[in-house]
Amino acid sequence: MRVLVVGAGIGGLAVANGLIGAGHRVAIFEHADALRTTGAGITVWSNGTAALRELGVAGVEDSGRVLRSLRSLTRSGRTLWEADLGAVTERLGSPTVQIPRRVLTARLAAALPDGVLHFGRQVTGVIEHPDRVELEFADGERVAGDVVIGADGQRSAVRRAVLGGGPARPTGWASWQGLTTSDLPVAHGHRTLNIAGRHAHCGLIPTGGGLLHWWFDMPWREGDPVLSVAQLRRAFRGWPEPVEALLDSVTDDDLGFFPHIRHRVPRVWGGPRTTLLGDAAHAMPPAVAQAANQTLEDAWLLTRFLTGVGGDPEPVLRAYERHRRPRAAKVSRTAALTSVQRNTPLQRLARFPGWLATHTQVATLRAGSNVLHGLAHPTPAPA
């Protein structure tokens, strides 16, 4: 089949690798003029590295930092718990890796044959026919294929054209984050450090090559100020080391600001010849670091279901969505526990030190375990 993928982010590149390996002809259309080179780090949990391996992209640990431990502290510095990720890797056969987003994107793109990627192509419409589907572009051109996959993020043009509805909605929280070279010992180890306060959270994750991915989460609504590094220093004064040392070492130029958003996960993700994956279907807050991993699960399962399909794709697309929706929705709900509006019952519950961080991070580990079991014992694709 000829498959048209909209979006050259992690999901679009990953599913293209899988589908090309399965014998399909694939073209990716990206509205930007080049691959994205911004962003901080991505935690690719065991479910994500397993999915990448199944898609033909192995060895990502060589481009990032293998994580062996996950430690969670309270605002006062008391240890809540520590998870042995090395034991998880040994048991499940797939590591947890922290990697710069730009490095993972470049690696996925480099694995594609020449001529697959098409930049500067803004999709404005999706037109379905009984025997084909067409993408319409801003310059008026149309391109036809057998299937369209919307991998174009939270503002998905494919989702808007096929399903309608509004964009992802803010949750009431935001992240201030960065990826910087650091001399701090945490940047050169293999342990993630998460610290949970009553009204704020932060984390530090070694990302390889002396790089440190750091983030600060706090309640935020449209119209609230976007904090500077100086304001973050005041807000996190007195937090356990090395938080203050980190903030003393960075500048506003290092700081990225990302409001948390969440999409309603629809029951059906497309039309007779269209479907969605990743943030286009289920954008979620970063609380359990699963957004990219859920995207990779989508790419793996969609590739599996489309393998060998040459006729009517609709039954296969709907089967893929039925299998993915419950899990994606569950992970999204879990992530939303730390990204709720202020003064809701969940937010009041989060004031008990460490409860929320513990709940969401343990859920992440369980998610990796469950999905890796699914990769080892995959559901047969429909005939």
Side-chain angles (χ1 to χ4, degrees):
M1 288 196 305
R2 176 165 168 77
V3 182
L4 311 179
V5 178
V6 182
I10 289 171
L13 296 169
V15 77
N17 273 283
L19 292 173
I20 289 170
H24 294 295
R25 294 172 292 122
V26 179
I28 303 176
F29 300 96
E30 165 61 42
H31 78 277
D33 293 328
L35 290 174
R36 177 182 173 182
T37 59
T38 58
I42 293 177
T43 306
V44 188
W45 296 91
S46 292
N47 54 323
T49 52
L52 283 169
R53 183 184 64 232
E54 296 292 320
L55 290 164
V57 183
V60 294
E61 58 267 33
D62 299 333
S63 302
R65 192 72 163 179
V66 173
L67 300 179
R68 297 175 184 157
S69 176
L70 175 65
R71 187 183 184 199
S72 182
L73 305 179
T74 66
R75 159 71 176 79
S76 64
R78 178 173 60 87
T79 297
L80 284 167
W81 54 274
E82 186 161 357
D84 184 352
L85 296 180
V88 174
T89 297
E90 183 177 352
R91 179 163 57 90
L92 300 178
S94 193
T96 295
V97 178
Q98 184 74 10
I99 186 171
R101 176 182 289 274
R102 62 178 181 271
V103 173
L104 180 57
T105 300
R107 186 171 185 133
L108 289 167
L112 295 171
D114 292 341
V116 171
L117 278 162
H118 304 271
F119 293 105
R121 305 306 309 275
Q122 182 181 353
V123 172
T124 57
V126 180
I127 306 163
E128 300 209 46
H129 305 276
D131 61 342
R132 69 190 189 284
V133 59
E134 293 181 318
L135 290 177
E136 187 171 40
F137 296 91
D139 61 6
E141 183 185 357
R142 291 185 181 183
V143 174
D146 298 300
V147 169
V148 163
I149 299 172
D152 48 342
Q154 60 174 287
R155 299 180 181 86
S156 171
V158 177
R159 176 172 175 147
R160 187 167 59 249
V162 177
L163 301 181
R169 301 179 64 180
T171 68
W173 279 67
S175 293
W176 287 258
Q177 68 172 10
L179 179 67
T180 54
T181 301
S182 176
D183 293 329
L184 293 172
V186 66
H188 301 274
H190 297 268
R191 181 169 69 181
T192 291
L193 178 62
N194 291 347
I195 306 172
R198 290 188 174 186
H199 306 291
H201 310 150
C202 73
L204 302 93
I205 313 177
T207 311
L211 291 172
L212 184 66
H213 176 199
W214 43 268
W215 49 266
F216 299 87
D217 287 357
M218 288 189 289
W220 186 88
R221 288 180 176 175
E222 189 71 34
D224 286 353
V226 176
L227 303 184
S228 65
V229 168
Q231 290 169 315
L232 288 174
R233 288 172 185 154
R234 289 195 292 271
F236 288 86
R237 183 175 295 129
W239 279 56
E241 288 298 335
V243 172
E244 290 187 282
L246 167 69
L247 285 170
D248 285 342
S249 72
V250 301
T251 70
D252 288 336
D253 291 338
D254 301 317
L255 198 60
F257 173 70
F258 299 93
H260 295 186
I261 49 88
R262 187 184 180 200
H263 243 145
R264 181 186 66 83
V265 183
R267 295 195 173 276
V268 176
W269 296 4
R273 292 180 175 270
T274 58
T275 192
L276 306 172
L277 64 76
D279 283 354
H282 46 69
M284 65 185 70
V288 292
Q290 272 288 319
N293 294 275
Q294 292 305 299
T295 297
L296 293 171
E297 288 184 26
D298 290 347
W300 167 76
L301 191 64
L302 183 54
T303 293
R304 179 167 176 78
F305 274 17
L306 286 174
T307 298
V309 174
D312 179 11
E314 184 170 18
V316 172
L317 299 180
R318 299 295 85 82
Y320 149 73
E321 295 161 10
R322 286 195 301 273
H323 278 77
R324 283 296 300 145
R325 184 185 184 277
R327 174 163 166 71
K330 181 178 181 180
V331 175
S332 177
R333 287 193 299 271
T334 302
L337 288 174
T338 55
S339 289
V340 291
Q341 295 290 344
R342 285 169 279 191
N343 298 318
T344 67
L346 280 175
Q347 180 64 18
R348 290 193 291 272
L349 183 58
R351 292 173 186 168
F352 291 97
W355 178 87
L356 210 49
T358 300
H359 178 88
T360 53
Q361 294 294 351
V362 168
T364 300
L365 294 176
R366 289 175 178 167
S369 175
N370 292 340
V371 174
L372 195 64
H373 177 81
L375 291 175
H377 305 87
T379 303

